[in-house]
């Protein structure tokens, strides 16, 4: 028995810990005292486990071969690991995204970010530290996982907000500059129309009759007016403005939106089916903004259609809502693009702005 005591008493470098003191005098400790000391060690172990389990960071301890020796409760949340089944299993079994043999073989501090998809998509940072004994022999590793998901989302939102602000300012400036030549065009078209009306009859020559020229001027003025309206609506969309609501008929707004885009609809030979519900109540709405939203939906549908395509527009009501539906038989939106449909200025069109 004394040989066993001497083996246990081989003291490490002097450390002021309860366990070291116990080992140094274990040959003088009675059985009752030893049980009390072991109980104290068990209580200390429970105390530290309680602390580790209150941490939001995930903590895993593995041996030198990567087998799990300890993990806290947060690991279950972050990695979906079942503590009861994980003990003694390789860490690589639970985090297959990483080259664990290489990481563990290097035996040094590692700090890395990774993305996991189970039990849900998260961005994590893990910090791996080698654990050495008194002889600087490698006993294993402590790995600490920190959840970066919220921080990454906030950073992405800040970047997107900055990008949107920059694009909004640029777009507003471009729209404002476009208004100047449009005003000039409108003035000159008015002057041309006035001159044509006062010109002597029959002086049109080979270019056509005065009435034909007047009709062309009227069409040009109408198109300039339409462009000016679009620019004003665009500026209203990118500039913060106080929303003014009036009681409006949703069927009237839909019908006027379709009428406004009739030249483009006719040019692409699109068939429009209006199925507008009856006896729909008036709603408080900003009619201009509603029209702008409908313009975009109609234009997208028409541009997605080949000649002779069908655009079906319906309005209806439920107990709590009015529904407006724009449905076309075009190519539709691909699965990979579906996740981006709410992003400002996202487009697959070569000349589109989103």
């Amino acid at each position: 028995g004394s040989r066993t005591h001497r083996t246990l008493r081989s003291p490490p470098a002097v450390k002021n810990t309860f366990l070291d003191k116990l080992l140094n005098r274990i040959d003088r400790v009675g059985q009752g005292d030893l049980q009390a000391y072991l109980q104290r060690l068990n209580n200390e172990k429970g105390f530290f486990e309680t602390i580790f389990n209150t941490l939001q960071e995930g903590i895993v301890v593995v041996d030198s071969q990567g087998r799990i020796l300890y993990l806290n409760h947060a690991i279950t949340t972050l990695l979906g690991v079942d503590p009861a089944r994980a003990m003694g299993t390789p860490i690589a079994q639970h985090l297959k995204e990483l080259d664990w043999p290489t990481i563990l073989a290097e035996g040094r501090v590692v700090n890395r970010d990774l993305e996991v998809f189970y039990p849900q998509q998260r961005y994590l940072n893990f910090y791996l530290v080698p654990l050495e004994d008194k002889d600087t022999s490698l006993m294993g590793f402590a790995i600490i996982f920190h959840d970066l998901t919220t921080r990454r989302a906030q950073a992405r939102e800040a970047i997107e907000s900055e990008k949107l602000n920059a694009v909004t300012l640029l777009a507003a400036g471009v729209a404002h500059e476009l208004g100047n030549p449009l005003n000039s065009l409108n003035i000159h078209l008015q002057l041309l129309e006035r001159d044509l009306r006062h010109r002597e009859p029959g002086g049109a020559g080979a270019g056509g009759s005065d009435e034909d020229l007047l009709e062309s001027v009227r069409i040009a003025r109408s198109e300039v007016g339409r462009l000016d309206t679009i620019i004003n609506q665009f500026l209203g969309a990118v500039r913060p403005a106080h929303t003014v609501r009036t009681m409006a008929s949703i069927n009237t707004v839909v019908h006027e939106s379709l009428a406004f885009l009739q030249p483009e609809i006719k040019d692409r030979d699109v068939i429009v089916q209006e199925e507008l519900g009856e006896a729909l109540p008036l709603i408080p709405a900003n009619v201009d903004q509603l029209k702008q939203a409908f313009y975009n939906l109609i234009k997208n549908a028409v541009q997605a259609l080949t000649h002779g395509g069908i655009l079906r527009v319906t309005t209806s009501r439920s107990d709590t809502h009015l529904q407006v539906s724009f449905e076309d038989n075009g190519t539709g939106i691909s699965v990979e693009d579906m996740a981006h449909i709410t992003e400002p200025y996202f487009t697959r069109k070569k000349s589109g702005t989103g």
Side-chain angles (χ1 to χ4, degrees), residues 249-255 258 273-281 283 294 312-318 321-326:
S249 163
I250 196 70
N251 284 350
T252 300
V253 176
V254 168
H255 189 73
L258 288 167
Q273 297 179 348
E274 289 186 60
E275 300 177 10
L276 307 183
E278 297 180 355
L280 300 182
I283 58 169
F294 292 167
R312 181 167 171 260
V313 185
T314 61
T315 60
S316 59
R317 65 173 296 177
S318 68
H321 291 78
L322 291 184
Q323 290 99 17
V324 184
S325 171
F326 297 85

Side-chain angles (χ1 to χ4, degrees), residues 222-239:
S222 173
E223 291 303 297
V224 168
R226 191 160 73 97
L227 285 171
D228 190 55
T229 300
I230 291 172
I231 289 175
N232 287 330
Q233 290 169 339
F234 177 73
L235 284 173
V238 299
R239 288 175 180 163

Side-chain angles (χ1 to χ4, degrees), residues 68 79 81-82 85-86 89-97 100:
I68 296 175
L79 301 180
V81 177
D82 182 354
R85 298 181 180 180
T89 62
I91 184 69
Q93 179 178 320
H94 307 283
L95 266 179
K96 300 178 181 179
E97 297 89 346
W100 286 104

Side-chain angles (χ1 to χ4, degrees), residues 72-90:
N72 69 344
H73 289 171
I75 284 295
T76 302
T77 302
L78 297 178
L79 301 180
V81 177
D82 182 354
R85 298 181 180 180
M87 300 300 291
T89 62

Side-chain angles (χ1 to χ4, degrees), residues 187-341:
I187 291 171
H188 284 82
L189 286 170
Q190 290 182 49
L191 294 173
L192 179 58
E193 183 178 13
R194 185 193 65 186
D195 291 344
L196 284 172
R197 290 187 183 280
H198 290 85
R199 198 167 66 155
E200 292 294 328
S209 67
D210 288 352
E211 285 301 320
D212 291 337
L213 292 174
L214 281 169
E215 179 61 22
S216 296
V217 170
R218 280 194 291 270
I219 292 173
R221 286 191 63 189
S222 173
E223 291 303 297
V224 168
R226 191 160 73 97
L227 285 171
D228 190 55
T229 300
I230 291 172
I231 289 175
N232 287 330
Q233 290 169 339
F234 177 73
L235 284 173
V238 299
R239 288 175 180 163
H242 177 66
T243 300
V244 178
R245 291 185 174 91
T246 57
M247 300 306 293
S249 163
I250 196 70
N251 284 350
T252 300
V253 176
V254 168
H255 189 73
E256 290 179 354
S257 301
L258 288 167
F260 181 77
L261 294 173
Q262 189 58 36
E264 188 169 343
I265 294 171
K266 184 177 180 181
D267 181 63
R268 297 184 70 91
D269 194 26
V270 171
I271 299 171
V272 177
Q273 297 179 348
E274 289 186 60
E275 300 177 10
L276 307 183
E278 297 180 355
L280 300 182
L282 299 180
I283 58 169
N286 184 305
V287 173
D288 290 336
Q289 290 184 1
L290 265 184
K291 283 184 178 180
Q292 185 63 53
F294 292 167
Y295 293 156
N296 291 332
L297 291 169
I298 295 167
K299 285 173 70 70
N300 284 344
V302 170
Q303 291 169 3
L305 291 169
T306 56
H307 283 269
I310 299 174
L311 169 61
R312 181 167 171 260
V313 185
T314 61
T315 60
S316 59
R317 65 173 296 177
S318 68
D319 292 339
T320 56
H321 291 78
L322 291 184
Q323 290 99 17
V324 184
S325 171
F326 297 85
E327 182 181 359
D328 65 74
N329 60 347
T331 54
I333 302 173
S334 65
V335 175
E336 56 269 24
D337 289 344
M338 191 65 72
H340 301 286
I341 59 174

